[in-house]
Amino acid sequence: MTPGSEVVRGYGHQAKLASASSQANGLGIILAPLAVEAGGSYATGGWNVATDVWGVLDEAQRLPWSFTPFECVGPLKFGMTHDQVRAAVDGVLSIGVSQGYAGSEVWAEFDLEQRPDARFSGPAVTVYYDQSIGLAGVAVNALRGPQVTLAEIRLVGQVPSRLEDQFTDYLTVHGKELRYSQSADPCSSHLGLALRVQRAGDLVLSRPVMVTEAWADRCWDTSEGCIPEKEWKTFEW
């Protein structure tokens, strides 16, 4: 893959349209080889992914991670380089798509590797980099991401209103401020945590975004905060 290029996933005609668009506008987007197989799955790069894009992992199937504000999300420590991030999740998550040049990545998406105990594969974790910091933000996919806990509160794939109640209680007990994004996502700059939502078929489930301390100020602000616009616009898949 050419440094700085981007892989586009797609199904059938959508993938072809993406490929045609990349050729027309010269954006340097590379489409991975795609072949539809019997049983409704597609193969790309030698591995198969179920096409049930709304499949949600059971709790027992999720990787167990914990969140320590401003320090780490599971094995991912804020400040890591892209290569260090890849090494930290090797064997359980694999790089799916990234943007930026080698050594100057802007963001990267990691897929859940196929496992016998997990029916669904696909995007699980999205990481964001700051050129002066390294790893600065981690967003966890509501459908297939690891289960990240904060003081025994499950942050991933939860009913938003229930999680909001738990989060509010936690912040009250610990004397920390609760803020809301312009999309009404509960957030706390004191923790560097924004509780976004993501579509899961006819439902929405929680998609937490955790950031380094340098990004925490106004982490609830979709226009002036450091969390990239790409993340605030992510709702599907």
Side-chain angles (χ1 to χ4, degrees), residues 180-232:
Y180 287 88
S181 73
Q182 289 90 327
S183 301
D185 304 308
C187 308
S188 174
S189 59
H190 292 162
L191 298 176
L193 175 60
L195 296 177
R196 300 194 58 248
V197 296
Q198 182 177 349
R199 182 183 174 189
D202 292 335
L203 307 174
V204 291
L205 299 173
S206 60
R207 173 190 173 93
V209 182
M210 293 140 285
V211 301
T212 186
E213 190 168 10
W215 277 24
D217 185 42
R218 303 185 73 84
C219 66
W220 45 269
D221 195 323
T222 63
S223 59
E224 297 185 9
C226 291
I227 294 176
E229 182 181 14
K230 165 187 162 52
E231 176 57 36
W232 291 115

Side-chain angles (χ1 to χ4, degrees), residues 9-167:
R9 297 186 187 83
Y11 297 99
H13 70 282
Q14 294 172 318
K16 293 177 182 177
L17 288 174
S19 179
S21 175
S22 67
Q23 295 173 4
N25 60 28
L27 291 178
I29 299 175
I30 296 178
L31 179 67
L34 178 143
V36 178
E37 296 188 340
S41 62
Y42 69 83
T44 175
W47 54 283
N48 301 329
V49 180
T51 57
D52 182 0
V53 297
W54 305 126
V56 179
L57 292 178
D58 295 333
E59 284 297 321
Q61 296 173 320
R62 293 183 185 271
L63 299 170
W65 287 9
S66 61
F67 170 47
T68 302
F70 307 135
E71 292 185 20
C72 64
V73 183
L76 304 180
K77 297 180 179 180
F78 292 117
M80 279 182 164
T81 65
H82 181 58
D83 286 343
Q84 289 173 329
V85 168
R86 293 184 67 169
V89 298
D90 184 47
V92 289
L93 300 178
S94 58
I95 187 71
V97 60
S98 64
Q99 184 179 68
Y101 294 92
S104 300
E105 289 80 7
V106 177
W107 59 266
E109 192 173 77
F110 287 83
D111 292 352
L112 177 67
E113 294 192 346
Q114 286 192 315
R115 312 195 323 264
D117 63 329
R119 291 187 301 153
F120 310 109
S121 185
V125 174
T126 302
V127 296
Y128 298 97
Y129 300 100
D130 185 303
Q131 296 307 306
S132 63
I133 298 172
L135 178 64
V138 179
V140 181
N141 189 286
L143 287 70
R144 292 166 296 275
Q147 183 52 264
V148 180
T149 55
L150 170 67
E152 300 185 356
I153 300 174
R154 294 176 178 178
L155 302 178
V156 182
Q158 304 300 297
V159 175
S161 60
R162 295 177 185 172
L163 178 57
E164 181 179 354
D165 289 343
Q166 291 178 296
F167 187 53

